[in-house]
Amino acid sequence: MNTLMRRAQHLHHWRTYCIKQCAAVAGNEATAAAKGKTSYEELIDSRHQQAERSIVVQVSSEKSYNELYNYCSRFGRIVTAHHYTVPHEDELHYMLLEYANANEATAAIDSSAYNAELSGHSSVSAGGSGSGVPVRSPFLWFRAAAAAGKRNQSKLSANHKPLPLTTVAGTRPLAQDHLHTLLRSAESIEQQLQLLYEHTRLNDLGVRMRFLAALQVQQAIAGMFPEARAQPFGSSVNGFGKMGCDLDLILRFDGATTAQSERQLMSRLVYHTKENLSNGRSQTQRQMECIGDLLHLFLPGVCHVRRILQARVPIIKYHHEHLDLEVDLSMSNLTGFYMSELLYMFGELDPRVRPLTFSIRRWAQSCGLTNPSPGRWISNFSLSCLVMYFLQQLRQPILPSISAMVKTAASTDIRITEDGINCTFARDMERVSFASRNTSSLSELLLQFFEFYSQFDFHNRAISLNEARALSKPDHSAMYIVNPLEQLLNVSKNVSLEECERLRIEVRNAAWILESEVENSTLTEQERNEQSWGLLNLFKHPEKAVIRPNMFFKPRMVEVSDLFEKSQLNGSTTTPPINYKNA
Ligand code: GTP
Ligand code: MG
């Protein structure tokens, strides 16, 4: 009984300790906030246009900036300038310059030299002595003034006062030590959650670089496919991406992610086309093979091209050495693109959604629940679905159901993929805006998330984001999350029984850890700076983090696992060993 009372006290402390900083999302304020919000398509369009106004120039060092700025200003007005480095044998330096309009960037690119000596230049074959085929792209190299001849040198003296240069150390993730020091310096778990989000999310430069990678592919094939569109999707654009995340790219020859333009509908002249193969999948595989060769043989910066054409969604993977970026290019999965739009909208609807998801993704990574390579473990995407569903099913929901978004769709929101998959839902943020009365703080939500899934009946229930409720599980998959856009499919079909059980154990551990962190709320500033507390304890490796002598099982948990039952049967009064390896 004593333990129960202590526990109740803990919970009470916990709730009062949490800062209620998100209360302002209630009522009309949410609708007002939605008014200024950018839609997904607006975001994608504006980032594409920004890429069209930009060039990336490799330089020998940051010191070249003034000279480069002077030189490039002859083509137009430079409005932003970023410097970043890419790790290599020697650090490689790049400047990303954005002009006021696309014509100016085009003029800079068109002015570039095409002689064989220079066109073979790559950061790997340093010295520019190669003899590669010249390829037009936004990726350029700033050669020494002496090599460019005397005529140019006189112009260099034209004095433009350079814009301040934004120096960003690329888009690599923050070193773990730095992040930990930062989290230790916070004043509360609430602040740790915000800091984690702000310091690990993909930055503006990262998004710019990803749209430049897309533009390079698009421009490379534009002569033959004038309607082609290379579109970033996934975590690069849905606001859930962290520094260093891969770029998911979809290449469409017909640009058909949005409705056909008026001009196309009216025209009486129609391009002749080559007949398609009868089998759509082999057609895509053949085309991807060809695109893979093109990328591999001709596109500057593209290296380590791998074709994974037998996968459910065939992809080409490659590395971009000028952007320090891994790319997954697909040509046939438009639902992934629209799914990213849904996630983007969820993230925009409430300021708590993204920081919460970031902390949960980080926790899952730290205890080995997720893994960058695909397998029988839960994917980041499925994990995000778990977070979205949790936020939908709260007594005071923070997110709407997808079916509510479908109901309010306008005729301009209709999207049907070429495979006939209906991806229609309201896309106007104002229309979807959801007046949540939920005032829980981020740290309260984090704890509630862990509590919710430690009790969730994965054995019998399927999660539906469409209905915002759990349904009977239609098959024997260990974990079932109804695919929001193809409702006969299971997003988490790959998750094995063992991995699902591991998730259940880890969410329970996390709830324990987080609740016991209330004890640390009385730490002095010096103690906070010197020891692990709050999220840092949550992110520790399980072997170190979970075994704590005074922990006890939550009385409110209805669903009792075998593990707990065993410890009860043995008459144990202390915490069962909750390291899954012991389970
Ligand atoms: P990270 O790459 O881990 O940072 O996250 P991500 O969100 O980019 O995930 P991933 O690269 O695996 O997938 C890219 C996008 O494809 C996701 O954001 C989803 O929008 C979409 N996606 C992934 N898996 C599925 C799926 O099973 N069904 C549907 N409809 N879309 C999916
Ligand atoms: Mg991705």
Side-chain angles (χ1 to χ4, degrees), residues 40 233-236 238 240-242 245-248 312 328 333-343 361 371-372 379-382 384 483-486 489-492:
Y40 182 70
F233 69 106
S235 56
S236 299
N238 63 18
F240 292 89
K242 56 177 190 177
C245 70
D246 294 358
L247 166 65
D248 300 293
R312 187 177 75 85
D328 281 0
N333 182 26
L334 262 183
T335 59
F337 177 81
Y338 293 127
M339 193 57 230
S340 302
E341 182 168 17
L342 268 175
L343 282 184
R361 280 188 175 202
N371 188 311
S379 67
N380 267 336
F381 174 63
S382 294
S384 303
N483 187 322
L485 298 174
E486 294 165 89
L489 302 181
N490 172 11
V491 165
S492 52

Side-chain angles (χ1 to χ4, degrees), residues 25 136 141 179 335 542:
V25 290
R136 190 181 182 284
W141 174 53
L179 184 66
T335 59

Side-chain angles (χ1 to χ4, degrees), residues 28 78 154 159 188 283-284 322 335 367 456 496 504 568 579:
N28 293 336
I78 296 168
S154 57
N159 200 11
S188 60
Q283 168 99 2
T284 306
H322 299 312
T335 59
C367 56
F456 188 82
S496 68
R504 281 158 42 86
Q568 290 290 291
N579 183 337

Side-chain angles (χ1 to χ4, degrees), residues 23-293:
V25 290
N28 293 336
E29 287 177 41
T31 326
K35 280 197 174 131
K37 287 201 169 142
T38 314
S39 77
Y40 182 70
E41 279 170 10
E42 284 165 355
L43 170 93
I44 299 254
D45 277 350
S46 76
R47 287 293 189 173
H48 260 299
Q49 286 165 20
Q50 187 178 61
E52 283 171 346
R53 293 194 299 267
S54 305
I55 57 173
V56 170
V57 188
Q58 189 177 356
V59 289
S60 53
S61 82
E62 199 176 342
K63 290 185 196 133
S64 311
Y65 176 59
N66 286 0
E67 207 180 332
L68 177 73
Y69 184 90
N70 251 332
Y71 183 82
C72 288
S73 291
R74 68 178 64 181
F75 305 110
R77 188 165 64 86
I78 296 168
V79 290
T80 64
H82 289 80
H83 165 240
Y84 67 89
T85 55
V86 169
H88 196 59
E89 284 156 21
D90 301 319
E91 211 166 46
L92 305 173
H93 292 260
Y94 293 87
M95 302 282 174
L96 195 163
L97 304 180
E98 181 193 355
Y99 284 100
N101 67 57
N103 292 340
E104 295 168 348
T106 303
I109 294 170
D110 287 345
S111 80
S112 299
Y114 271 156
N115 77 47
E117 189 198 350
L118 289 175
S119 62
H121 173 83
S122 105
S123 52
V124 174
S125 62
S129 58
S131 56
V133 184
V135 176
R136 190 181 182 284
S137 93
F139 297 97
L140 311 166
W141 174 53
F142 193 45
R143 62 173 153 170
K150 287 210 169 81
R151 221 152 45 90
N152 275 331
Q153 283 181 34
S154 57
K155 297 215 171 152
L156 287 177
S157 57
N159 200 11
H160 290 90
K161 192 170 182 306
L163 276 179
L165 181 65
T166 312
T167 298
V168 186
T171 58
R172 294 227 151 183
L174 199 63
Q176 181 130 317
D177 288 357
H178 277 112
L179 184 66
H180 286 191
T181 312
L182 193 74
L183 295 183
R184 246 182 249 122
S185 72
E187 281 171 7
S188 60
I189 296 185
E190 195 69 25
Q191 203 183 43
Q192 284 187 322
L193 284 159
Q194 285 294 351
L195 284 173
L196 177 76
Y197 172 56
E198 281 157 23
H199 288 266
T200 58
R201 71 176 163 174
L202 187 61
N203 58 11
D204 171 63
L205 175 65
V207 180
R208 286 171 187 262
M209 288 158 81
R210 280 156 179 77
F211 276 82
L212 271 158
L215 189 69
Q216 183 188 28
V217 174
Q218 187 174 304
Q219 287 183 343
I221 59 167
M224 198 164 170
F225 307 105
E227 296 295 325
R229 194 95 155 116
Q231 201 85 268
F233 69 106
S235 56
S236 299
V237 288
N238 63 18
F240 292 89
K242 56 177 190 177
M243 296 277 268
C245 70
D246 294 358
L247 166 65
D248 300 293
L249 199 56
I250 180 160
L251 175 64
R252 307 285 311 172
F253 288 143
D254 56 5
T257 51
T258 49
Q260 277 211 330
S261 70
E262 186 75 3
R263 177 186 62 78
Q264 287 166 323
L265 291 170
M266 300 298 288
S267 176
R268 290 192 56 196
L269 296 177
V270 179
Y271 286 119
H272 257 303
T273 56
K274 189 105 179 168
E275 209 174 322
N276 281 342
L277 296 181
S278 56
N279 181 337
R281 183 173 161 87
S282 20
Q283 168 99 2
T284 306
Q285 286 167 329
R286 293 274 303 276
Q287 289 173 345
M288 290 188 76
E289 242 173 89
C290 183
I291 293 289
D293 283 343

Side-chain angles (χ1 to χ4, degrees), residues 460-481:
N460 295 304
R461 312 297 282 168
I463 285 169
S464 166
L465 280 80
N466 302 72
E467 304 300 326
R469 66 189 174 91
L471 312 172
S472 297
K473 209 156 79 170
D475 66 25
H476 295 298
S477 311
M479 182 185 285
Y480 203 111
I481 303 172

